[in-house]
Amino acid sequence: QSTGSSGINAEYGNTSTELFVLFVMVFMVVLMFGSIMYTVEKTMTNNPNSTKFNSIMSGCWWSVITVTTVGYGDMYPETPLGMVLGTVALMLGLVLMALPVTIIVAKFSDEYERSKN
């Protein structure tokens, strides 16, 4: 096994806590925003049957796509409060993804510097 892959394997073990926290936080945010968006879009629209948020799971699908900044465009909020919540979900997703990644990259950089010496 090369020293590069052994360094990656060692560093993956060192970042397992950060990765676990990242997945748990994303899961919680997805459930929270999916449920809230479903409730808002179903209750605040003039025609509840016209919304694509037909269940909490469809709200969670939208939340996953929004929080991870993929943005397929197949579902989107139509009420003003839904649009505000969508913006908050997007901004929270950016912060949620950026913070653990910086920690993980710093640990990989430390391991790289240690392997050079």
Side-chain angles (χ1 to χ4, degrees), residues 4-94:
S5 65
S6 65
I8 289 175
N9 291 339
E11 221 25 64
Y12 174 73
N14 292 340
T15 60
S16 60
T17 303
E18 287 83 1
L19 290 172
F20 177 74
V21 170
L22 172 65
F23 289 126
V24 168
M25 293 295 294
V26 168
F27 181 75
M28 289 179 1
V29 167
V30 163
L31 280 178
M32 182 181 68
F33 276 103
S35 301
I36 292 171
M37 191 59 73
Y38 166 73
T39 304
V40 166
E41 289 296 310
K42 273 295 195 187
T43 59
M44 298 190 76
T45 186
N46 293 335
N47 186 3
N49 294 329
S50 69
T51 183
K52 292 189 178 193
F53 292 87
N54 297 322
S55 66
I56 290 178
M57 287 310 294
S58 66
C60 287
W61 167 253
W62 169 86
S63 184
V64 166
I65 300 306
T66 302
V67 167
T68 58
T69 67
V70 173
Y72 287 132
D74 58 342
M75 295 177 68
Y76 51 88
E78 296 177 3
T79 62
L81 182 58
M83 291 177 191
V84 170
L85 287 172
T87 303
V88 171
L90 176 64
M91 297 299 177
L92 186 62
L94 290 172

Side-chain angles (χ1 to χ4, degrees), residues 3-4 6-7 108-117:
T3 58
S6 65
F108 272 103
S109 178
D110 291 344
E111 181 65 28
Y112 178 74
E113 290 297 323
R114 192 171 28 248
S115 71
K116 280 178 33 176
N117 296 332

